[in-house]
């Protein structure tokens, strides 16, 4: 919770905001935004992705997804999902839907990020399934960073790691 973060990291700016509200609370531009497991809890995931990218140089995005190369975004009301989900809705989005909205991205498919039932390196079958733990992760970069980054080297945008 917010109090624990503030106590453990007193020099860190902590902002608490309901991201389902239409007003974007962040005016600054950030080097990194870490967006882990948040997208599928939103009423308007497209707005959240657009605004997140508009306010940062690099975005780390991780989400549960639908296995599909078609653009799919289903918004379910709060009474259609289980405990621990979004307060206002649950967004079920496909891999293709996410990638259509990301700029200068790479999907991360390193088995080292698999953790428990959270699996990132599952084989895409394009079967439109949505299963707990079936997730993907992407990293966005400024275009000029890809050619000069010693880790990424000459990697091309849209390629998986």
């Amino acid at each position: 919770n917010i109090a624990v973060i503030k106590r453990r990291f007193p020099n860190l700016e902590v902002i608490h905001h309901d991201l389902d509200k239409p007003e974007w609370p962040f005016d600054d531009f950030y080097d990194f935004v870490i967006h882990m497991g948040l997208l599928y809890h939103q009423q308007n995931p497209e707005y959240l992705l657009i605004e997140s990218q508009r306010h940062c140089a690099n975005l780390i995005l991780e989400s549960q997804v639908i296995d599909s190369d078609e653009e799919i975004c289903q918004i379910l009301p709060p009474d259609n999902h289980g405990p621990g989900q979004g307060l206002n809705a649950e967004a079920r989005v496909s891999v293709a839907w996410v990638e259509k909205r990301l700029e200068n991205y790479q999907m991360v498919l390193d088995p080292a990020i698999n953790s428990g039932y959270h699996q990132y390196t599952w084989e895409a079958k394009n079967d439109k399934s949505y299963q707990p733990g079936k997730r993907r992760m992407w990293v966005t970069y400024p275009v000029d960073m890809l050619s000069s980054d010693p880790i990424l080297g000459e990697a091309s945008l849209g390629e998986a790691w």
Side-chain angles (χ1 to χ4, degrees), residues 138-154:
W138 298 266
V139 179
T140 68
Y141 296 96
V143 175
D144 59 347
M145 184 177 172
L146 285 173
S147 61
S148 62
D149 187 281
I151 295 171
L152 296 176
E154 297 298 321

Side-chain angles (χ1 to χ4, degrees), residues 121-140:
T121 56
W122 45 271
E123 180 184 343
K125 296 179 181 169
N126 193 31
D127 60 6
K128 297 182 178 64
S129 63
Y130 185 82
Q131 300 169 355
K134 187 182 275 189
R135 306 171 88 82
R136 287 293 197 222
M137 183 181 293
W138 298 266
V139 179
T140 68

Side-chain angles (χ1 to χ4, degrees), residues 80-130:
N80 282 358
H81 58 280
Q85 299 299 316
L87 298 175
N88 303 310
E90 178 181 342
R92 294 184 176 183
V93 297
S94 66
V95 172
W97 185 92
V98 171
E99 291 183 349
K100 177 78 172 185
R101 285 147 185 86
L102 291 179
E103 300 171 9
N104 309 324
Y105 69 89
Q106 286 191 301
M107 185 186 292
V108 181
L109 292 175
D110 186 332
I113 64 174
N114 292 332
S115 177
Y117 85 100
H118 288 174
Q119 296 295 307
Y120 300 88
T121 56
W122 45 271
E123 180 184 343
K125 296 179 181 169
N126 193 31
D127 60 6
K128 297 182 178 64
S129 63
Y130 185 82

Side-chain angles (χ1 to χ4, degrees), residues 2 13-14 23 36 46 69 78 85 110-111 121 127 138 142 148 151 159:
I2 300 297
E13 178 185 6
V14 179
E23 64 277 348
M36 304 288 286
E46 185 165 27
D69 60 7
Q85 299 299 316
D110 186 332
T121 56
D127 60 6
W138 298 266
S148 62
I151 295 171
E159 270 183 18

